[in-house]
Amino acid sequence: MLVVEPSVRDAMLEADLAMLPEAVRGWRPMDEVRAARAKWIDEQLAWCEDRMVAGNRAASMMVGAPRDFLNVVLDVADSKTLCGIRHYGGDGNRPFVDLVATTDAAAWSGDRLAEIARAAMAAYPAFAPPMVRIPVAGSDAPPLPSGWRAAVDQALVGATLGEMVERPPEVELPAVSLRAATVDDALLFEADCYDAFQDRDAALQRDVRPSGRDEIEDCAKDGRVLFWSLEDEPEKPAGLLCVQRLDFQAMDGWLVVEECVAGWASGRRSAAAAQRELARTLVAGDAANAALPMFGTILGGNAPSLATARRAGRQVIGAVWFVTRLT
């Protein structure tokens, strides 16, 4: 059951579609995009009243009461905004408010966005969230008035496999070979990679977590779990690449679930080569894959992974930003 008038829900859907990155709208027929985004908005609207979901979230977070986790629809800044409390990385001490949908795409900008952000944070007094999060197409931050700032959380990167195959690399990449890995071997290798990553960048490692067994198993079932090797070390895995064939919030393609590099192979640009080789292999195996994207999110502060995606032929097409009041 909708918790708003159908006209409000429909306005939210139209604004949502208008704010999607252009690439997402072009990766599949628009009627499929519309259906996927409508399903997402309807689910989030249902969370305004779904006490079972709210109770489960309260139990898992071990903070707040179930009613504190319900999504809300705010009537502010001449628009209606659907928003919900979230906790970064599942940490009860790191609350923020997601701005999920709006009836007016122009409202999420400038003074109106600041007004909405204030109202959204005030809607969840049990958590006193210090910021909101907002999705934006492209790579530019949302415009804000003086006294507010935006910091990128995650970038959405993607390109069709055909584009990755055809787009020449910006720098020379090493030759790599791919081979299937078992879930157990992948998890052991991943643990070693993240230990090495911790030694290289302890600050970033706080928010970059290894994929769990369930996620790797999903890739083994519906995608690929692969080691890659370099020509000068053909028997020794240089990295792990796990992708899942997935239809997720209007993006139907190959989701990059995990990519990690052995400490000894760091800095050799082999991860970008592995992504390109996988794209080439998938297209060679089924020409229909050329039209499907390889997509995923990367922390905005993870410069090495963003550079890897770019060298592989994937571009930043959107991002989610944290908006915070400074004064």
Side-chain angles (χ1 to χ4, degrees), residues 26-174:
W27 282 340
R28 62 193 303 188
M30 197 60 197
D31 60 337
E32 295 181 11
V33 175
R34 178 180 294 275
R37 297 307 296 178
K39 180 179 179 181
W40 162 249
I41 289 175
D42 288 344
E43 177 186 83
Q44 293 297 308
L45 284 169
W47 280 18
C48 292
E49 294 185 338
D50 194 329
R51 294 188 60 79
M52 182 174 293
V53 169
N56 289 339
R57 294 177 66 200
S60 66
M61 294 304 306
M62 299 182 68
V63 294
R67 64 176 176 270
D68 299 323
F69 286 87
L70 294 171
N71 284 359
V72 297
V73 176
L74 304 173
D75 191 348
V76 61
D78 298 319
S79 64
K80 288 181 170 57
T81 291
L82 171 63
C83 59
I85 190 69
R86 308 289 187 261
H87 291 82
Y88 203 81
D91 184 341
N93 295 314
R94 304 174 72 185
F96 65 93
V97 181
D98 250 347
L99 303 188
V100 178
T102 176
T103 54
D104 180 2
W108 284 5
S109 178
D111 291 335
R112 295 175 73 190
L113 173 56
E115 185 180 354
I116 291 167
R118 280 192 293 265
M121 290 184 283
Y124 291 96
F127 306 104
M131 55 193 172
V132 302
R133 190 171 68 173
I134 176 175
V136 179
S139 57
D140 293 337
L144 289 166
S146 176
W148 290 79
R149 73 176 178 91
V152 66
D153 172 24
Q154 297 183 11
L156 174 62
V157 296
T160 66
L161 300 188
E163 290 170 336
M164 293 176 67
V165 170
E166 295 170 4
R167 186 175 291 153
E170 60 182 33
V171 294
E172 185 177 357
L173 300 177

Side-chain angles (χ1 to χ4, degrees), residues 177-190:
S177 59
L178 305 176
R179 69 176 185 273
T182 68
V183 172
D184 285 342
D185 286 347
L187 289 168
L188 288 171
F189 181 85
E190 178 189 58

Side-chain angles (χ1 to χ4, degrees), residues 234-248:
E235 302 302 321
K236 190 176 181 180
L240 172 70
L241 179 57
C242 304
V243 297
Q244 182 182 7
R245 179 73 170 82
L246 191 67
D247 188 341
F248 177 72

Side-chain angles (χ1 to χ4, degrees), residues 27 160-162 245 252-254 279 281-293:
W27 282 340
T160 66
L161 300 188
R245 179 73 170 82
D252 179 20
W254 295 88
T281 301
L282 291 172
V283 172
D286 183 352
N289 274 316
L292 298 179

Side-chain angles (χ1 to χ4, degrees), residues 173 228 259 269-277 307-312:
L173 300 177
W228 76 78
E259 178 193 83
R269 299 173 178 167
S270 63
Q275 289 185 29
R276 283 182 175 271
E277 179 62 16
T308 291
R310 187 180 66 252
R311 292 171 185 144

